[in-house]
Amino acid sequence: MAKNLGKRLLQTIIVLFCVSLLIFVLLRIVPGDAVTTMMGEHANAETIERLTKEMKLDQPVYIQFINYLKDICTGNFGTSYTLNKPVTHLLAVAFPNTVKLALLAAAIAWIIGIACGIIAAVKKNGILDRLFMGFSLLGVSVPVFMVAMLLQYLIAYKLHWVDISGVTKWTGYILPAIALGWNSAGSIARLTRSTLAEVLQEDYIDTARAKGRGRSAVILFHGLKNAMLPVITMMALQISSLLSGAVITETIFSINGIGRLAVDAISTRDIPLLQGTVLFTTVIVILGNLVADCLYAVLDPRIRKEV
């Protein structure tokens, strides 16, 4: 396990370097100038030249990249051009909001997905199976922004149950969490249904029934216990994807999270802020994958032996 973790750490360093290089190069080959965008169209040439020197954007590209690598190795992502605040401070303020949204979305996805998957597997080829699998397919197929706007229109605008955007209290997270977790719930439901339906055909399930165990006990303690291994792995991976994939949801519902920071950085060409958000979300995804691999090895002894 320690050897495997060492390999993954080396892979992580390589991936982070490649991502850093890629985002650095892309931001500098895209047409436009960061200083001009920040100052506006009516800024004079002298001001633009002075700010360019102050931001060290007049240095050779390779020097800028080396300085950038030195800064991120010490945890310094620079200062936002538009907000004039350290990027690390902006990430620290926004990240808790993204975590709250992602955890609530994950809880909704897991509860609905696992429950629908179990019922669909038990009622295989029945009405409930077709109904739940139809809804899960709809959840996987419909884009997040469509679900978000539909919830805003029906629940917030028409029924006035919650605020249409912004988070003034905890109820403000309900609609964005449902919109964000909708897709994940469909994936979990389909995976739970397929794995549980397959497990329920195994011989040891018939043996448990022959010993007089009740139907619910057989499904929960024998079938579901063995069917949940791939589902748990997907759930661990979904945490990182929900944390990094809340861009559209946070923008639509005006939540001050990592995703909205990235959108604002793109629109204002705020290079330090965009680089910081991209690297931060990359680290989250890598850590999520690492946790999923470790969890899989802990739950399945065969994986530990292979490792």
Side-chain angles (χ1 to χ4, degrees), residues 121-228:
V122 173
K123 303 294 184 180
K124 187 177 179 180
N125 298 325
I127 296 177
L128 289 178
D129 180 20
R130 293 186 176 90
L131 179 63
F132 286 147
M133 287 303 98
F135 274 110
S136 67
L137 181 61
L138 188 65
V140 173
S141 305
V142 178
V144 174
F145 71 89
M146 288 189 63
V147 177
M149 290 189 292
L150 183 63
L151 290 174
Q152 277 185 325
Y153 178 74
L154 294 178
I155 306 300
Y157 179 71
K158 285 294 185 181
L159 300 178
H160 304 285
W161 287 355
V162 294
D163 295 334
I164 194 168
S165 64
V167 179
T168 56
K169 49 187 177 180
W170 70 269
T171 54
Y173 286 102
I174 295 177
L175 289 188
I178 294 174
L180 187 59
W182 177 269
N183 181 274
S184 299
S187 301
I188 291 177
R190 296 179 70 82
L191 183 59
T192 303
R193 189 259 187 195
S194 61
T195 54
L196 182 57
E198 183 178 351
V199 167
L200 292 178
Q201 304 300 319
E202 297 291 338
D203 293 337
Y204 65 85
I205 298 296
D206 295 332
T207 303
R209 289 170 178 163
K211 290 181 178 180
R213 299 297 299 270
R215 186 183 184 188
S216 299
V218 170
I219 294 173
L220 295 177
F221 296 106
H222 294 274
L224 188 61
K225 179 181 177 181
N226 294 282
M228 283 298 292

Side-chain angles (χ1 to χ4, degrees), residues 10-124:
L10 179 60
Q11 293 174 358
T12 299
I13 295 174
I14 295 174
V15 169
L16 288 176
F17 175 80
C18 294
V19 171
S20 302
L21 178 60
L22 181 62
I23 189 65
F24 184 87
V25 172
L26 287 177
L27 286 175
R28 281 156 180 80
I29 63 176
V30 172
D33 180 75
V35 178
T36 303
T37 304
M38 180 177 63
M39 297 300 298
E41 299 178 356
H42 303 291
N44 57 59
E46 294 180 359
T47 303
I48 293 176
E49 183 179 357
R50 178 176 58 81
L51 287 176
T52 301
K53 290 181 179 180
E54 290 180 0
M55 296 178 180
K56 299 179 180 180
L57 296 177
D58 59 332
Q59 296 179 348
V61 175
Y62 71 92
I63 296 295
Q64 294 183 42
F65 183 65
I66 292 174
N67 292 333
Y68 171 62
L69 290 179
K70 290 179 181 179
D71 289 338
I72 62 175
C73 287
T74 60
N76 178 21
F77 293 107
T79 302
S80 170
Y81 292 163
T82 55
L83 300 176
N84 197 27
K85 293 181 180 179
V87 174
T88 51
H89 171 73
L90 295 174
L91 292 175
V93 172
F95 186 58
N97 297 326
T98 301
V99 171
K100 294 175 185 177
L101 174 60
L103 291 180
L104 183 56
I108 292 173
W110 296 348
I111 293 172
I112 296 177
I114 292 175
C116 292
I118 293 173
I119 296 173
V122 173
K123 303 294 184 180
K124 187 177 179 180

